[in-house]
Amino acid sequence: AQTVTQSQPEMSVQEAETVTLSCTYDTSESDYYLFWYKQPPSRQMILVIRQEAYKQQNATENRFSVNFQKAAKSFSLKISDSQLGDAAMYFCAYKGRGSQGNLIFGKGTKLSVKP
Amino acid sequence: DAGVTQSPTHLIKTRGQQVTLRCSPKSGHDTVSWYQQALGQGPQFIFQYYEEEERQRGNFPDRFSGHQFPNYSSELNVNALLLGDSALYLCASSSPVHARSTDTQYFGPGTRLTVL
């Protein structure tokens, strides 16, 4: 069975600085998707970034980028120029291409942003 | 463009009761998935509905059932509520299977269920 591990329960970053959140996963599949979702106190789960495993190029969305290391089964999220609004729970999630509905989530990392 | 909506926002029930939660998918989406998120945990997949049928199910008992309507909206029903069913219930929708981004799920704001 696939698993997703986020080893940092909490992280803190100074406003305007850069922070990296870690995620590792375990799977025997070769084709899959990886996601980072943000969940602020409002509870809405917001998609931050998406990576397709067959693409070697790391995904980027404005200040958010990933470091996808397929062989190491690692998928870290880098947030540049951190803003107060980035404070939230961040969840890493996995979905096999053959899996129709099942997103598998890690336990999350709580990010605090200090002014 | 309307996103995923869920109702109600909060719900309080007592043990043994039954509850129905509702979800309307994002415009243009036809697939709905339900997740349970316990406090301090990541969401756990309950099931997914497509073409008014349950397409995939996670490790949840039969007390959890669902339905999808012709307009793609969906309901989650939980019978014989237990204290452990207290959680945030999230609905997510995704685009039609022929579209490029079928694997990306967009979430609603959730329903907070408290069982006393």
Side-chain angles (χ1 to χ4, degrees):
Chain A
Q2 295 83 12
T3 58
V4 176
T5 302
Q6 294 179 249
S7 59
Q8 306 155 316
E10 295 189 25
M11 291 283 285
S12 180
V13 63
Q14 205 72 31
E15 196 175 6
E17 296 295 309
T18 296
V19 64
T20 299
L21 308 184
S22 300
C23 172
T24 59
Y25 58 95
D26 189 24
T27 182
S28 59
E29 298 176 309
S30 59
D31 197 8
Y32 48 87
Y33 300 87
L34 294 164
F35 305 85
W36 278 97
Y37 283 90
K38 167 186 176 181
Q39 188 177 40
S42 66
R43 309 177 324 201
Q44 181 102 34
M45 193 76 77
I46 301 165
L47 177 67
V48 175
I49 201 163
R50 172 181 184 265
Q51 175 80 43
E52 299 177 53
Y54 71 88
K55 290 186 177 179
Q56 293 187 345
Q57 186 174 7
N58 290 323
T60 299
E61 289 287 342
N62 300 314
R63 298 183 294 107
F64 299 88
S65 61
V66 298
N67 183 4
F68 173 49
Q69 302 290 327
K70 190 172 184 179
K73 295 180 182 176
S74 171
F75 182 62
S76 61
L77 174 70
K78 186 172 82 171
I79 306 174
S80 303
D81 186 25
S82 297
Q83 301 175 1
L84 295 178
D86 294 334
M89 284 292 292
Y90 285 81
F91 291 95
C92 177
Y94 168 100
K95 183 179 179 300
R97 178 177 281 275
S99 170
Q100 293 160 328
N102 191 1
L103 271 174
I104 300 169
F105 286 86
K107 291 188 175 183
T109 296
K110 182 178 182 180
L111 178 67
S112 301
V113 181
K114 298 179 180 178
Chain B
D1 180 19
V4 180
T5 60
Q6 292 186 243
S7 63
T9 305
H10 295 90
L11 206 51
I12 300 175
K13 293 286 188 178
T14 56
R15 282 177 294 174
Q17 285 189 312
Q18 179 264 345
V19 68
T20 297
L21 311 181
R22 296 176 175 82
C23 170
S24 291
K26 183 178 169 68
S27 179
H29 288 185
D30 63 0
T31 303
V32 174
S33 303
W34 286 93
Y35 293 81
Q36 180 194 66
Q37 186 179 18
L39 197 61
Q41 301 294 318
Q44 298 287 317
F45 175 72
I46 303 175
F47 43 53
Q48 183 184 73
Y49 275 83
Y50 170 68
E51 292 190 337
E52 302 181 47
E53 292 190 358
E54 183 182 293
R55 186 161 72 162
Q56 189 178 2
R57 188 179 183 92
N59 188 25
F60 278 80
D62 292 344
R63 298 187 298 107
F64 289 78
S65 63
H67 188 76
Q68 186 179 33
F69 300 93
N71 67 352
Y72 309 125
S73 66
S74 176
E75 288 182 349
L76 164 65
N77 301 293
V78 187
N79 295 322
L81 285 167
L82 303 174
L83 295 179
D85 295 331
S86 295
L88 180 66
Y89 288 85
L90 295 166
C91 168
S93 71
S94 50
S95 53
V97 293
H98 61 271
R100 286 187 58 188
S101 298
T102 59
D103 292 278
T104 300
Q105 297 184 15
Y106 295 87
F107 285 81
T111 294
R112 171 73 66 189
L113 173 64
T114 302
V115 182
L116 301 177

